[in-house]
Amino acid sequence: MVFLSGRLEQLAFSQTMAVIERVARKRAEGRDIISLGAGEIGLPIPEPIRRAAAEAALRGEERSPPVEGLAVLRRAIAAKFERDNALAFRPEQVIVGNGSKQVIYNAFAATLNDGEEVVIPAPYWVSYPDIVRLSGGRPRFAQGRIENGYKITPAALDAAITPRTRWLILNSPHNPTGSVYSAEELSELAEILRRHRHVFVLSDDIYEPLTFAPARFATLAAVAPDLAERVLTVNGFSKRFSMIGWRIGYAAGPLALIEAMGRVQSQVTSGVATITQAGALAALAIPRAELDWIGMLFATRRERVVEEASRLPGIAFPRPDGAFYLYLDVAAHIGARTPEGGTIGDDVALADYLLEAFDVVTLPGSYFGTAPALRLSYTCPDEQISEAFARIGRALASLDRTGRRAA
Ligand code: PLP
């Protein structure tokens, strides 16, 4: 018997991580599983990054790193913001953490009082609500609509803000829908935020390099410089450089906030391993042109998966402009019957059916706050993607939708 705090009782083990563990068990049993569940880009890490980290290790750079990150790395990150985003930060306004996940945790832990609210547009990345709850805050969901790519509208934002709101989370390109906010859309949201001066914005830009033309990446602090004192811009190395296992991310924003986040980090994890930071520094030195192929690879795959998904029966989805996800509305299949006589009661049951009967992993929209839906990620090789869609097609065709109850 363990004792759990009230806070922890509200907290689930990361559902996406639980699926990863379940799939690993099935593969160990010899099942030929194709996973469209991953949030991992799955490309090799560029060689200069590995070499720089190895050299740092061999030089014996294993002493305790500064909490907010090595000065040289904070300078390089400030230069990245200047070069890529036209954002001017002093190095002290930059903090490096153990993944952007921890950076986001630091921000909320440093600022939320019990019961204060964070507006989270839904669907959302699974961890946002739990990180808010763990920090004593209360998520307030603003439900997006498929017609608008599930993006939050100015009116929905305005309606979600209360006197207790401390933060709004924006994420573009977006997990789980692949939607991208244009500069114009961000300007319209900025108009609302100007009227609510007590609201800060956490802009999670981790999928920045995966923005597909003609869509263009835009970030709030650059679109509305007058709001910069209330914006924390978060980014990381996991997607751009496939460094998810190296656990490093960063943020830049108002100095007082960055210092407060550093205080949290100093008591929770200390600074990121110096060896990882050496790799990150080498990553930022790679000319952008050498990494452009990654965006192009995913833009091409996007076309393929959109085509494949359009052929599935009873499915609707917004065309993604970035990241590596498709978010399928599966309402037409809820209540359908399987050949074995079972009922697909919700999207969790549908994802289970796809996994158990067709060996393909998808994640239910219920995890992401907008159901019934399935999130498909297209990070696996092209042959597997075709096979996965063939299996999903067979699975959906096997369902009897006559006489189903409306969901
Ligand atoms: N933000 C979003 C929207 C994500 O999808 C993820 C990971 O999947 C993260 C943040 C966390 O990334 P990391 O902690 O690896 O930097």
Side-chain angles (χ1 to χ4, degrees):
M1 180 68 187
V2 282
F3 297 101
L4 295 185
S5 68
R7 261 180 201 182
L8 204 81
E9 269 168 4
Q10 302 175 39
L11 195 81
F13 185 83
S14 166
Q15 288 158 310
T16 46
M17 292 198 175
V19 172
I20 292 167
E21 291 180 6
R22 185 168 157 204
V23 171
R25 281 198 300 276
K26 290 201 179 293
R27 285 198 172 124
E29 290 161 13
R31 297 263 296 268
D32 165 31
I33 308 267
I34 301 182
S35 179
L36 303 183
E40 223 172 303
I41 193 158
L43 296 173
I45 294 173
E47 214 267 334
I49 301 176
R50 294 186 193 281
R51 190 162 0 100
E55 283 167 4
L58 291 172
R59 279 198 306 273
E61 285 183 14
E62 66 255 317
R63 280 187 302 280
S64 185
V67 170
E68 299 89 350
L70 296 173
V72 61
L73 181 59
R74 295 168 88 188
R75 278 200 300 278
I77 291 169
K80 178 262 174 246
F81 277 120
E82 178 97 55
R83 181 193 66 205
D84 295 351
N85 310 117
L87 288 173
F89 292 112
R90 285 177 282 125
E92 314 85 84
Q93 290 178 273
V94 172
I95 186 165
V96 179
N98 294 272
S100 58
K101 192 183 248 184
Q102 192 205 0
V103 170
I104 295 168
Y105 171 76
N106 289 344
F108 293 145
T111 55
L112 289 175
N113 292 304
D114 282 349
E116 287 180 339
E117 295 173 3
V118 177
V119 175
I120 306 180
Y124 45 74
W125 176 45
V126 280
S127 292
Y128 295 142
D130 281 333
I131 294 176
V132 168
R133 291 187 191 105
L134 194 58
S135 308
R138 192 177 296 157
R140 191 178 166 98
F141 302 112
Q143 195 55 246
R145 295 157 64 93
I146 191 169
E147 307 80 72
N148 189 37
Y150 295 106
K151 289 181 266 191
I152 192 169
T153 59
L157 172 60
D158 203 26
I161 293 173
T162 74
R164 295 176 70 77
T165 307
R166 294 297 304 272
W167 288 93
L168 159 71
I169 300 180
L170 287 178
N171 170 221
S172 173
H174 185 247
N175 177 5
T177 63
S179 290
V180 171
Y181 286 81
S182 66
E184 293 70 33
E185 287 168 328
L186 291 177
S187 296
E188 285 168 21
L189 296 178
E191 260 325 292
I192 304 296
L193 292 162
R194 286 188 185 101
R195 295 214 308 270
H196 299 282
R197 301 169 70 88
H198 61 297
V199 179
F200 273 61
V201 181
L202 188 150
S203 177
D204 180 346
D205 296 357
I206 191 154
Y207 292 95
E208 172 185 8
L210 296 170
T211 308
F212 311 139
R216 286 169 64 95
F217 176 78
T219 190
L220 185 71
V223 167
D226 59 310
L227 299 183
E229 271 306 297
R230 292 196 265 140
V231 179
L232 181 72
T233 305
V234 177
N235 211 316
F237 294 85
S238 297
K239 315 290 170 185
R240 188 189 286 270
F241 305 104
S242 313
M243 290 170 68
I244 188 166
W246 294 45
R247 306 313 305 135
I248 182 162
Y250 57 88
L255 187 59
L257 175 61
I258 298 295
E259 282 175 356
M261 290 164 64
R263 259 198 272 168
V264 176
Q265 182 152 297
S266 76
Q267 300 296 2
V268 178
T269 57
S270 306
V272 175
T274 316
I275 292 161
T276 292
Q277 294 199 54
L281 191 60
L284 292 175
I286 299 174
R288 262 198 308 171
E290 283 181 28
L291 298 163
D292 281 352
W293 66 273
I294 300 174
M296 290 189 282
L297 173 80
F298 280 97
T300 310
R301 269 206 204 140
R302 184 265 310 258
E303 296 303 337
R304 282 205 43 200
V305 296
V306 163
E307 209 182 297
E308 300 263 17
S310 309
R311 286 201 288 268
L312 296 173
I315 295 288
F317 62 95
R319 180 181 160 84
D321 284 317
F324 40 67
Y325 306 109
L326 272 188
Y327 203 67
L328 309 181
D329 179 327
V330 295
H333 296 281
I334 304 305
R337 299 192 65 80
T338 67
E340 294 74 34
T343 301
I344 302 293
D346 56 18
D347 55 8
V348 178
L350 183 58
D352 269 349
Y353 180 60
L354 289 169
L355 176 56
E356 296 302 334
F358 291 85
D359 285 341
V360 55
V361 181
T362 58
L363 295 177
S366 315
Y367 293 1
F368 303 91
T370 301
L374 292 177
R375 190 193 76 171
L376 274 47
S377 85
Y378 45 95
T379 52
C380 57
D382 284 346
E383 322 74 73
Q384 285 189 17
I385 289 176
S386 299
E387 172 60 18
F389 274 97
R391 290 183 191 180
I392 296 171
R394 285 200 296 280
L396 296 180
S398 75
L399 296 175
D400 178 4
R401 294 196 270 147
T402 54
R404 81 188 173 91
R405 283 174 290 107

